[in-house]
Amino acid sequence: MNSQVLKSTSINRDAYLTGLLNLVSRVTPPQPSPPAGRGPERVLEGWLEELEGWLEGLRDRSSAILLEETFPSTKDEAWRFTDLSPLLQVTFQLPETSNVASIPSSEITPLIFSEAADSRLVFVNGVYAPQLSSVAGLPVGVFAGNLTALPENYRSSIPNYLGKQHGATEVFTALNTAGLTDAAVVWVSKNQVIETPIHLLFISTLSDSPTISQPRCLVVAETNSQVTLIEDYLTISDWCADKSHPYFVNTVTEIWAQENAQINHSRIQRNSNVAFHIGKTAISQARHSRYTCNAINLGGKISRHNLEVYQTGQETETTLNGLTMIAGEQLADTHSALILNHPHSTSRQLQKNIARDRSHVVFNGRVFVAKAAQLTDAGQLNRNLLLSPKARIDTKPQLEIIADNVKCSHGATVSQLDDEEVFYLQSRGLDKVSAYNLLVDAFAAEILNQIPLNSVGIMLSQCIACRTI
Amino acid sequence: MIIENSEVILSVRDLTANVDSNQILKGVNLELKAGEIHAIMGPNGSGKSTLSKVLAGHPAYEVTGGEVIFQGQNLLEMEPQERARGGVFLAFQYPLEIPGVSNVDFLRVAYNSGRKAKGLEELDAFDFDELIQEKLDVVKMNPSFLSRSVNEGFSGGEKKRNEILQMALLEPKLAILDETDSGLDIDALKIVANGVNQLAKPDNATLMITHYQRLLSYIVPDFVHVMEGGRIISSGTKELALELEERGYEWVREEEASEVGV
């Protein structure tokens, strides 16, 4: 009897995934936008043809992978605490492409960070919106734009990077690739230090039916270069407000830090509370490179961030800061993996989680230190603040250490607000709610203060302050 | 200073209180008038710190009897923040560290919550900065402390100075200093005492709780009370403190015993 039930569910899962695959395969290639390089028209056409041919192969390979896969369930270890069945209840459609053109630039204005006012790329439902983007503030030596506009000198390298990160066969990553027609691309040339931060704004619009969009992003920082990125997912309309139709955002960002490159990456997920957000960030770190991620998760009914760092050379530095703050019935899951295969690397990870109401936070922090990765110094700390007796936090450090001469630490704490601290603040005149909020803000500030753009920190503090306790 | 017919700031009558259903305060009587500085001395576990926590409204302490009138109001009916806004200030024995909250933001929020309660306009960051610079002088505090997290990484003396800075800012009617002198070296003690002396005015009252007579050489009390077993067993002028220092608490206990004829 039981097996009967199980079987029918798994068939449903297969069919659901196939349905999604068929849907995303219908995404049409973008209209070519004016190229940054001023080559003759026919050269551009030649590139577009070549690109489309290559992407088709990539999509086909991913589709083939997906046909062998099934939609994950809580029986899969990686999804043990994150039940995606609410997603299976929804039949998604592709968003209307006309949405892209219909957004007035005034809607974008409040979303612009002053430090990145003229260094922003805007994608609407995964589709590049050149009329809303502006890269006039960027110096030479860096390209920021969509894939079709890639300057000639980078084009031949695309197959070495796009879709090439480890973990490409994971279901949602493959689903994104199966619908891949365009991507946001940031490419920093050798030895270029780009002071101006680059804002990658991925907007979802709410429509009359449930929709799926799949933003894709590729970042290449060549040898000795430096760049600061803000990857930002949000919904047009007040993201705090609930809208009735769910939508599904399935993102993949591939980041390549070549030798001695330095990347500071902030990823802000503030989709509305009806969204399903599944995001992959895969980073490859070459010798001597330095990568920092500040991952902020605030939105989504169910959200998942898979953050994976793969080391390809020795003496890398990796800093992973994370803040998840959710409320109501939200679920937010962060699965990070740091795969160290070379010696002398340093990593620091601090993941902070705040759960209110009946929300549910999941954190799984994997650190793998291979035999060759001697003299690794890896530290992981996870701090959790449970603000309600009905909230839930599942946290799991997962250290797999094969090398024998390494320094690896991990720790996890779960606490409530300290009554003595609350009393201290009350004794100075703050009411209980203000005291709570101040302490929660302080808990979050440790992560928010790591974000290199002031205006982003301020915006996020306000976001966090707009809750109702 | 003792002022004839001055206003009664605090009146404690037969106050009893429990912690985890253990009776700690067993009938405390105390009256402070405007202008006065009182010191409560007593051995460890006599209930001194409990008294200060009860007066500030700590939720872990359960008042089981008696009354506390603060400027004509029933203090025991007020929430801790209402007491603070009304003019009660407790300088903590162990000031808490609040990582992530800058000292200046904390001070501004505290100051403005008092102003809001009085129906006054809140000060913005700019005006507040001017005000706090003035107050820093009271405890000779380096402005760099303002941008650090509240008490985080402060030395014992710096934490106590920070308490007095808050007191200077909030200008309480009743200041309760809970063991403010403990753990201070002599230089820090002088700075803290000097701050308290500057803040003691004819229209406010100060209650010092201490273990050591040393403090009283720098802040001279008008009255000294000895606490023991949850009650005030002896009261007098500053000479009482000197006597105590010399003869120990045993002496007061014996005095009390002979008074009640045991």
Side-chain angles (χ1 to χ4, degrees):
Chain A
M1 195 65 183
N2 255 346
S3 63
Q4 199 75 33
V5 174
L6 281 178
K7 202 176 167 198
S8 75
T9 326
S10 81
I11 288 168
N12 280 344
R13 288 177 183 278
D14 289 349
Y16 188 81
L17 186 60
T18 308
L20 280 181
L21 175 61
N22 290 338
L23 185 66
V24 301
S25 304
R26 294 209 310 266
V27 174
T28 49
Q31 298 301 311
S33 52
R38 295 184 213 293
E41 199 71 2
R42 64 177 184 283
V43 176
L44 173 70
E45 277 174 19
W47 151 245
L48 291 178
E49 233 167 72
E50 186 191 330
L51 177 69
E52 187 40 41
W54 182 76
L55 286 176
E56 199 177 347
L58 192 61
R59 288 194 297 263
D60 288 348
R61 286 193 295 280
S62 289
S63 301
I65 290 164
L66 280 178
L67 290 171
E68 300 297 311
E69 288 287 338
T70 189
F71 197 86
S73 78
T74 51
K75 293 204 170 55
D76 298 295
E77 183 57 29
W79 294 91
R80 201 173 132 205
F81 296 111
T82 300
D83 183 5
L84 290 175
S85 16
L87 202 151
L88 293 170
Q89 310 300 317
V90 185
T91 306
F92 293 102
Q93 297 182 9
L94 294 177
E96 298 283 333
T97 42
S98 58
N99 285 353
V100 180
S102 66
I103 295 177
S105 56
S106 59
E107 286 265 3
I108 302 297
T109 312
L111 306 173
I112 295 172
F113 299 122
S114 57
E115 298 93 332
D118 287 311
S119 51
R120 67 172 196 275
L121 297 180
V122 180
F123 284 70
V124 178
N125 300 326
V127 178
Y128 182 49
Q131 77 283 7
L132 301 175
S133 305
S134 165
V135 291
L138 284 174
V140 289
V142 58
F143 167 76
N146 69 331
L147 194 54
T148 55
L150 194 71
E152 213 171 342
N153 50 323
Y154 300 130
R155 289 176 190 167
S156 61
S157 306
I158 276 289
N160 301 334
Y161 297 111
L162 191 63
K164 279 294 188 182
Q165 290 280 8
H166 289 280
T169 56
E170 183 268 329
V171 172
F172 293 102
T173 311
L175 183 65
N176 181 293
T177 308
L180 175 57
T181 57
D182 197 8
V185 181
V186 174
W187 202 304
V188 191
S189 298
K190 208 159 116 180
N191 301 328
Q192 299 297 318
V193 175
I194 309 303
E195 305 280 355
T196 313
I198 299 170
H199 186 192
L200 306 169
L201 185 51
F202 295 98
I203 294 171
S204 296
T205 57
L206 294 164
S207 54
D208 298 333
S209 55
T211 55
I212 176 171
S213 67
Q214 303 205 96
R216 181 87 179 201
C217 187
L218 173 69
V219 177
V220 180
E222 292 185 0
T223 305
N224 294 324
S225 68
Q226 282 186 31
V227 67
T228 300
L229 305 166
I230 308 289
E231 187 186 356
D232 194 5
Y233 296 93
L234 52 78
T235 311
I236 280 209
S237 79
D238 181 3
W239 75 275
C240 286
D242 279 359
K243 293 279 190 285
S244 51
H245 286 292
Y247 60 101
F248 179 16
V249 185
N250 182 38
T251 79
V252 173
T253 295
E254 293 173 278
I255 298 177
W256 300 85
Q258 294 187 350
E259 277 190 29
N260 203 35
Q262 178 172 317
I263 300 174
N264 191 302
H265 174 212
S266 297
R267 184 186 196 273
I268 304 160
Q269 189 275 105
R270 42 178 174 147
N271 282 126
S272 86
N273 290 357
V274 292
F276 297 97
H277 180 106
I278 295 178
K280 158 74 77 72
T281 308
I283 302 99
S284 174
Q285 274 194 267
R287 187 166 67 145
H288 296 149
S289 64
R290 299 169 298 284
Y291 172 75
T292 296
C293 184
N294 305 304
I296 314 296
N297 285 297
L298 302 172
K301 174 189 171 70
I302 294 178
S303 70
R304 164 76 167 240
H305 184 209
N306 295 311
L307 172 60
E308 296 167 7
V309 181
Y310 302 94
Q311 188 197 30
T312 64
Q314 63 179 17
E315 247 183 295
T316 55
E317 280 179 34
T318 310
T319 306
L320 305 179
N321 300 309
L323 173 68
T324 292
M325 181 166 131
I326 52 171
E329 308 271 350
Q330 285 180 281
L331 184 155
D333 178 348
T334 298
H335 265 62
S336 67
L338 187 57
I339 312 298
L340 303 171
N341 289 313
H342 299 267
H344 293 287
S345 69
T346 306
S347 69
R348 290 289 171 266
Q349 181 170 23
L350 175 60
Q351 175 70 33
K352 292 189 121 179
N353 301 316
I354 304 171
R356 298 173 184 281
D357 306 333
R358 287 169 307 283
S359 62
H360 182 183
V361 176
V362 181
F363 172 64
N364 189 100
R366 180 172 178 230
V367 179
F368 175 79
V369 185
K371 179 92 174 98
Q374 297 293 0
L375 298 165
T376 290
D377 177 358
Q380 181 189 83
L381 186 60
N382 169 224
R383 290 192 179 285
N384 300 287
L385 196 52
L386 262 177
L387 294 177
S388 145
K390 297 234 171 79
R392 172 173 167 166
I393 291 175
D394 289 291
T395 172
K396 185 175 151 209
Q398 190 185 339
L399 272 63
E400 297 158 37
I401 302 164
I402 296 159
D404 53 11
N405 186 13
V406 297
K407 199 162 93 184
C408 293
S409 65
H410 70 88
T413 61
V414 180
S415 60
Q416 294 162 319
L417 287 178
D418 182 346
D419 288 344
E420 292 297 324
E421 287 180 3
V422 173
F423 174 65
Y424 188 55
L425 295 171
Q426 281 184 285
S427 79
R428 297 300 180 254
L430 279 75
D431 59 55
K432 221 169 196 170
V433 172
S434 308
Y436 280 157
N437 289 344
L438 190 73
L439 292 171
V440 172
D441 290 352
F443 183 87
E446 192 182 358
I447 300 295
L448 296 183
N449 290 345
Q450 302 301 318
I451 296 175
L453 279 71
N454 257 339
S455 61
V456 178
I458 291 167
M459 179 279 291
L460 286 173
S461 309
Q462 286 163 350
C463 257
I464 283 170
C466 83
R467 66 352 278 289
T468 47
I469 189 168
Chain B
M1 78 202 73
I2 300 172
I3 304 167
E4 282 292 311
N5 297 324
S6 72
E7 176 201 5
V8 175
I9 300 274
L10 181 75
S11 169
V12 179
R13 284 195 203 108
D14 298 323
L15 183 64
T16 55
N18 290 358
V19 183
D20 297 332
S21 43
N22 296 322
Q23 195 178 29
I24 309 288
L25 298 185
K26 298 176 179 169
V28 176
N29 288 287
L30 188 66
E31 186 171 279
L32 275 76
K33 289 184 179 164
E36 296 174 354
I37 297 178
H38 289 235
I40 295 184
M41 303 188 70
N44 283 334
S46 58
K48 303 180 308 265
S49 281
T50 298
L51 176 63
S52 68
K53 293 270 173 58
V54 167
L55 292 177
H58 195 293
Y61 297 80
E62 185 202 351
V63 173
T64 51
E67 62 170 16
V68 179
I69 306 298
F70 170 69
Q71 291 195 299
Q73 284 177 283
N74 182 352
L75 192 71
L76 299 176
E77 281 184 351
M78 296 159 76
E79 291 290 320
Q81 67 273 16
E82 293 168 350
R83 301 181 195 201
R85 293 169 192 164
V88 175
F89 180 86
L90 171 65
F92 279 54
Q93 181 178 4
Y94 304 111
L96 279 96
E97 296 185 6
I98 309 179
V101 179
S102 81
N103 212 12
V104 68
D105 287 344
F106 167 60
L107 292 165
R108 192 176 65 238
V109 171
Y111 184 73
N112 278 333
S113 64
R115 283 184 67 94
K116 221 160 75 183
K118 291 186 187 79
L120 298 169
E121 209 177 305
E122 297 183 34
L123 285 197
D124 62 27
F126 189 75
D127 288 337
F128 183 77
D129 197 52
E130 216 164 284
L131 175 73
I132 196 71
Q133 293 297 337
E134 245 173 68
K135 303 290 181 187
L136 284 172
D137 282 345
V138 175
V139 281
K140 299 192 168 51
M141 202 143 149
N142 189 316
S144 68
F145 279 84
L146 292 177
S147 51
R148 289 169 58 180
S149 286
V150 179
N151 293 328
E152 195 185 29
F154 285 28
S155 71
E158 286 160 354
K159 284 182 184 171
K160 298 296 174 82
R161 271 153 77 177
N162 204 24
E163 293 291 286
I164 306 305
L165 174 66
Q166 293 165 35
M167 178 176 152
L169 181 71
L170 300 174
E171 298 182 324
K173 277 283 167 193
L174 172 67
I176 305 161
L177 311 176
D178 187 6
E179 308 254 1
T180 297
D181 55 326
S182 56
L184 295 189
D185 64 35
I186 196 71
D187 293 327
L189 178 64
K190 281 180 183 169
I191 291 170
V192 165
N194 184 34
V196 174
N197 285 328
Q198 285 178 61
L199 297 172
K201 303 267 166 62
D203 65 343
N204 62 25
T206 307
L207 181 62
M208 293 187 284
I209 285 164
T210 182
H211 201 73
Y212 306 105
Q213 197 275 333
R214 183 183 69 159
L215 174 68
L216 310 186
S217 315
Y218 298 95
I219 307 172
V220 179
D222 301 300
F223 296 98
V224 173
H225 311 276
V226 180
M227 198 157 181
E228 165 78 7
R231 286 184 302 128
I232 288 173
I233 58 170
S234 180
S235 296
T237 57
K238 63 172 186 271
E239 284 72 26
L240 177 62
L242 294 169
E243 191 109 45
L244 263 180
E245 179 83 351
E246 207 152 293
R247 302 171 70 169
Y249 289 110
E250 276 309 308
W251 161 73
V252 195
R253 282 181 206 136
E254 283 160 22
E255 292 278 295
E256 192 210 12
S258 63
E259 264 172 40
V260 295
V262 178

